[in-house]
Structure formats: structure tokens, C-alpha cells
Amino acid sequence: MEAPEPSNSRKYGVPFYAAAWVPSISLKSEQESLESEIDRDQSGDGDGDVSADDKTLPSHPTTAVNYYVAAAGGGGEGRSGISNALILAHFDFESRSLSDQPVAKYGTGSDLPYRMAVHPAGDGIICSFPKSCSLFKLDIKKDDGDQKLGLKLSQKVLSQLDDVGLQLALKFNNEGSLLATGGEDGNLRVFKWPSLDIILNEPNAHSTVKDLDFSPDGKYLVSLGGPCRVWDVTSSTVVTALPKGNDEVFVSCRFSLANNGNMVLYTATVTGKGGAIVTWDATTWRRVASKLITRDNITAFNVSANGKLLACGTTQGDVLIINSTSMRVQKIVKKAHIGFVTAMSFFHDSRALVSASMDSSVRVTLIEEEQKNGMNLWVIIFILLIAVAAYLIKNGKFDKFELPTFSSG
């Protein structure tokens, strides 16, 4: 008999290529402007109509304490019968459960949303499609007196990203003031947001751009596609190209801050022995360390906002949480997904990780409880030692207590 699906994992009928948390600030700002949004909709000045898919979804009450994950994917072009869509799912930390069905779903017709970037301050979700990119907005409407969360296509046309081909990488900087895109054709672009004024345009950055990330201060941008290159955003010049080992293939790259406050760069690599993480000094750009994490290939990688945790997804569907200081696996969820992991993203306070897969599943792995359990164990041991010592003293046996000795002969 097949085991029941855990409440923190749900299948939503769409093979997913991208997943991320929706910032709670975006929900608050939308709620605060709910009445004005309704007024604009009634006057015809609002953004485009909501997809017809929204009309068939169950309503879900939205408050400031609710948390949502966004995921995008589909079956692509053709007559596969699998829809292409951007979805929102609700996650409840108290019950540790994802909503049984998406709380919102925007069908994208025959266009597959292949990559996704959520603006850190809640200014929408950008999805890349085979030929261009589009911006979506959260939409809170009244439905029979209840509030319902939905998605709508923004009227803001991303003209600089129209007819540019498939973008395999999308990334905002931490402030949300810059957007970097990397194309299947190898073209690397950086725009100011929201004006879309272009500040970096390198048509031949790579043969194809597979991953991107801004440094925490926004000064640098790392791009990956065969070689891994670091760019100075202000001068639009290459700072360095990271050398790889003989049997290494770079698959992902992320900047972070170490516990000492220094900036580091991580690259997830595939080697002849499995998946490894390489740490680079972000001042000298020299390789600091390399650690084999799993015997399987790494297919997804990310770093927590506080820099303390790394996450890897594998070809076998496993999810691994790694302590960035010791580089030891802190938690592993075997077969978290049936298919290989395509995307993962930490919650802003690092207490949870969302992951997605081609098997149409989204999963939230909680990390906070793992940390609490570890702390409680040490507290329990300390209390037991104090209790034993108090008992010995009370009964006058403490001075008689001797460690056992062992004779050599």
C-alpha cells in the first residue's frame, strides 16, 4: 500500500522548474491597498484581467500572518495535456502543511514559464517564457464577502525583455533595485528596476547562461555557463574567471556572508565522485575549500539569507541541508521528491526550505525544529549532570566518588 503524502508535500499537476517564497511584505502592501485596487478595477484602470483559472479555485482567507510559495512550470508546447501555469500555494507553519490545492493559478496557455524571480520587496513575480519575460502581480479580491488571493498579468510591459529568447536565469539583487537576466543564447544583461534602464549588456558572456547571483552588497554579479565569471556591476567588466578542476562541472553559484562577516562565493559542482560544494574567497577569488556532499549529482542549490545554511537537491530527489561552517550535512530528506529537484529557496529567516521537482511536487522542509531539538538535548544532559551531583552531595557520597582505575598488569 502506498504511503500517504506528508502534509508538507503536495502535487499540483504541473512539472515545476522554479519555486520561491512570496515575501510577506507583498501581501501586506496589497492588503493595505485593497480598496484602491478594487476602485481601479471597477474604473477599468487596473492591470490586465485575471486568468480564467482563478475563477475555479477555492477562496482562501488572506491575512498578514499567512505565507505563500510560488512555483512555475508545465508541459511546454504541444498536446501533452499538461498545462503551463504559475501557481501560489499556502503554507501553515503551525500545522506544517501546504494547501491541498493551489490558492491561485494563472494559466499561461502554450507558453512554458521556465524560470522565475520574485521581487524581494513584493513588486511582482517575473517569469521567463520561450521568447520573452512577463511580470505578474498578486491580486486580492472580494469574493462573496471573503478575500481571495489571485494572480494577474501586470500591464507593465517588459519591453527590454520582449523577443529576447528564453532566459535561463533571472535574479534580483537584495534591494530589488537591479535585475539580471541570462539567456539561452549566452547574452548577459543587468537592468535598473523598475525603469529597466540597461547598465550591462554582454552578448557573448557565455555560450549559454545557466545561473546568476548578486553579491550581498550588489557590487558583483557571478554568472555561470561553462566557465564561472565574476563581474563588477558598476564598470560592467569581468573581475575574474574561476578555474575549475579537471573533473568538475559548475552547476550553480551563490554569494553569501560567512560567520566572520566576510563575503564568500559558493559553486555547486558535479564531479566524477558526485556532487560537491566549492568555497571561494570573494576578495582574492581563490579556492578556499572543496567538500564532496553527495554521491549523486546536484541539480539545485541555494544559500540561506543569514549564510549559515546551504541546500542541495539531487538527481534522486533528495534534499540536503548543510551547515556552512562545518560543511557537514545537518539534515537529509531522502526521496523528498520522486523526480530530480529543479529548484529550492530558503524562507527569509532560514527556518524553512521550499523545493520543487519535475514530478509536479512542492515540498517545504522545516529546519527550525532540527535546531531546537539539538539545543534541548544539551540542556537535558546538563540538567541530568546537575541532578546527579546534587544527589551525591546531599547523601554525602560526593567525596567518596572515585573514578575507576585500571591496572596495567
Side-chain angles (χ1 to χ4, degrees), residues 133-181:
C133 296
S134 296
L135 177 66
F136 296 87
K137 296 277 191 175
L138 296 181
D139 182 34
I140 300 177
K141 302 186 302 178
K142 283 188 175 180
D143 184 14
D144 294 330
D146 295 328
Q147 287 186 341
K148 178 184 175 184
L149 182 65
L151 289 162
K152 62 183 179 182
L153 181 64
S154 173
Q155 281 191 332
K156 178 181 175 64
V157 178
L158 307 181
S159 55
Q160 297 278 33
L161 289 170
D162 187 34
D163 199 26
V164 293
L166 178 62
Q167 302 300 295
L168 296 179
L170 300 170
K171 188 73 177 182
F172 283 105
N173 66 346
N174 287 345
E175 294 180 350
S177 59
L178 296 175
L179 169 69
T181 68

Side-chain angles (χ1 to χ4, degrees), residues 15 19 30 33 46 59 88 120 139 154 160 165 182 189 287 299 301 306 330 347 362 366:
E30 289 283 359
S33 62
S59 62
L88 291 177
D139 182 34
S154 173
Q160 297 278 33
R189 299 175 178 90
R287 181 184 296 236
T299 55
F301 177 69
N306 61 15
Q330 177 176 308
F347 192 65
V362 173
L366 290 178

Side-chain angles (χ1 to χ4, degrees), residues 93-94 96 309 330-331 349-352 366-381:
F93 277 94
E94 186 174 348
R96 304 181 182 186
L309 300 171
Q330 177 176 308
K331 183 172 187 176
D349 64 5
S350 308
R351 60 173 158 155
L366 290 178
I367 304 163
E368 183 183 43
E369 194 64 30
E370 179 89 359
Q371 296 169 341
K372 283 184 178 180
N373 288 343
M375 181 62 71
N376 288 341
L377 178 62
W378 286 110
V379 171
I380 291 170
I381 292 174

